[in-house]
Amino acid sequence: MKTKVGIIGAGPAGLFLSKILHSQGIDNVVLESRSRHYVENRLRAGLLEHNTVELLKELGVGKNLINNGIPHHGVMLSFNGERVHIPFEELTGGRNITIYGQRFVVRDLIADLADKNNYPLYFEATAGHIEKIETDRPLIHYEYEGENHEIHCDYVVACDGYHGIGRQTLPGHIFNTHRVEYPFSWLGILAETPPSSEELIYAFHTRGFALLSYRSPEISRLYIQVDNDDHVDNWPDDKLWDELDTRLGTEGWTLNKGPIIQKGITPMRSYMIDHMQYGRLFMAGDAAHIVPPTGGKGLNLAVADVKLLGKAFAAHYHNNDDTLLKGYSTDALKRVWRTQHFSNFMTQQFHKRFQEDSFDYQLQKAQFDYIKKSVAMRTTIAENYVGLKEI
Ligand code: FAD
Ligand code: DHB
């Protein structure tokens, strides 16, 4: 098989890139090792930044998002029960976020690419290795329906997530790796209960972090900070609701409780490589960087990468101009670093890390008091939370 751009992975990065390229008339093929059912039902992120929402609409894939996504005009930050509201639109000149599950974004893009347009998107097709990235005809070897195949392309984009083969193909000497493992994880639940607050709530409590979010007017999504070696079996439903009540609670507010339909633990890490291209191979999304989930940035950062790549391939194929392709890593890393910083800040600010009588705890509290007092600080949080327009 021959194509212009060979894409490995049908997560948000690969699917958005494929759709962007098709909208520019640039041939591409997507290989995905998992089944369509698996990819469409993987429970992950839910928070879409302003730019991500705009891009879905621009690409003509925003119908379900417009009908079912829930726009949010602010967020609530809490410290030991004391709450501050961050009004996005007032502080950012009209930008906001939308709650719409990652699996619905993925379903909408797959329906458009595979069902509506019949573009080449292969499920259960596993890329084994990538070759000749230093030449102008790189190729991807993959296995599909029990047989080995090759795709010859002009460029390969590895959108194959944290465990993919793209990063392993980059020569080790061209990048440095940065990694922080946090000493806590998130226990997340989906519950059949209406959300107890119109806004998301990020809460520091001396017992640990908690987050209240939701997926629909009937389904709540909630998280608590737990130890890395904790297990869902240690958290029967009643204990979990009591803990959420304590950590999220404030005077005169009640937490809606209901049947818990899903429970899972996610570790937290910051990870990145500091160079995202080599020869004809480009990296995008989780393949190149992971942020801790506080602030909901992972999916949005993946989309920001491929938006840049889309522009760069358009300049290459339509104007014979390689400036953007050559500058991709440098350009993408500006947003990656900004997002690493914000996700790290939100994580450090709202998780329990220190004893209450310590200097570090007092710094954490002083920073929250500053958020309460300062419009400048609230503006900083708002513009990072909704996502900077350009960077
Ligand atoms: P992925 O979504 O990982 O997609 C990569 C794809 O490549 C996968 O479908 C994989 O099967 C495929 N693949 C891998 N290797 C090969 C191969 N050799 N051949 C073919 N295909 C291959 N972010 C948030 O903002 N908020 C959250 O609450 C949140 N929760 C998360 C929970 C979990 C358990 C995880 C793992 C991530 C979570 N994230 C969250 C992060 C967010 O979901 C990711 O940042 C986002 O999925 C990145 O998209 P991606 O396309 O880069 O990678
Ligand atoms: C959600 C996840 C996040 O990490 C976050 O910061 C906000 C919302 C969610 O799953 O809804």
Side-chain angles (χ1 to χ4, degrees), residues 21 41 175 269 355 376:
L21 295 179
N41 288 287
F175 64 88
R269 69 168 66 92
Q355 292 308 317

Side-chain angles (χ1 to χ4, degrees), residues 27-79:
D27 278 354
N28 65 86
V29 174
V30 182
L31 301 175
E32 166 57 52
S33 56
R34 301 291 194 153
S35 68
R36 177 169 178 171
H37 181 265
Y38 181 92
V39 171
E40 289 188 338
N41 288 287
R42 201 160 31 187
L43 188 61
R44 284 188 171 177
L47 187 162
L48 304 188
E49 284 180 3
H50 198 92
N51 284 2
T52 305
V53 169
E54 291 300 302
L55 183 61
L56 265 175
K57 290 185 194 163
E58 267 168 41
L59 292 169
V61 199
K63 195 166 150 245
N64 293 337
L65 166 88
I66 293 164
N67 289 337
N68 304 320
I70 308 167
H72 276 257
H73 309 286
V75 66
M76 203 66 89
L77 304 179
S78 166
F79 202 89

